[in-house]
Amino acid sequence: MYISSESLIVILFVGLVAGWLAGKVVRGAGFGIIGDIVIGIIGAFIASWLFPRLGIHIGAGLISEIIYSAIGAVILLLIVRLIRSGGRL
């Protein structure tokens, strides 16, 4: 699998925006800029796996990818917060 430098920049940008949005939605669970990028990228993978199985399709393009990634990152941050706090949100 080959990823061009432009694709890598887009992935990092989408991950950053999605992680930042998720950090704003789930307050108190931000992990800094690198952590937010990682959470956003993992959130994108979660969303790309979960949404088609649920029959959810928002559309195509950069904005829909950011929305997918942000929703996936919010799900991931809620799970991390649940684990960290011992079951309390």
Side-chain angles (χ1 to χ4, degrees):
M1 179 175 153
Y2 174 74
I3 297 178
S4 68
S5 58
E6 291 88 10
S7 297
L8 185 60
I9 290 171
V10 169
I11 290 169
L12 291 176
F13 174 74
V14 168
L16 175 65
V17 172
W20 178 79
L21 283 173
K24 293 297 179 189
V25 171
V26 182
R27 294 189 188 137
F31 294 103
I33 191 164
I34 301 298
D36 285 348
I37 290 173
V38 171
I39 293 292
I41 291 171
I42 295 171
F45 285 117
I46 289 172
S48 67
W49 175 80
L50 183 63
F51 287 173
R53 283 164 177 69
L54 297 175
I56 300 171
H57 301 286
I58 295 176
L62 184 62
I63 300 299
S64 67
E65 286 300 318
I66 291 173
I67 293 169
Y68 277 141
S69 300
I71 293 171
V74 165
I75 292 169
L76 181 62
L77 283 176
L78 288 174
I79 291 170
V80 167
R81 180 182 272 185
L82 253 170
I83 292 170
R84 276 188 169 177
S85 66
R88 290 175 285 158
L89 288 173

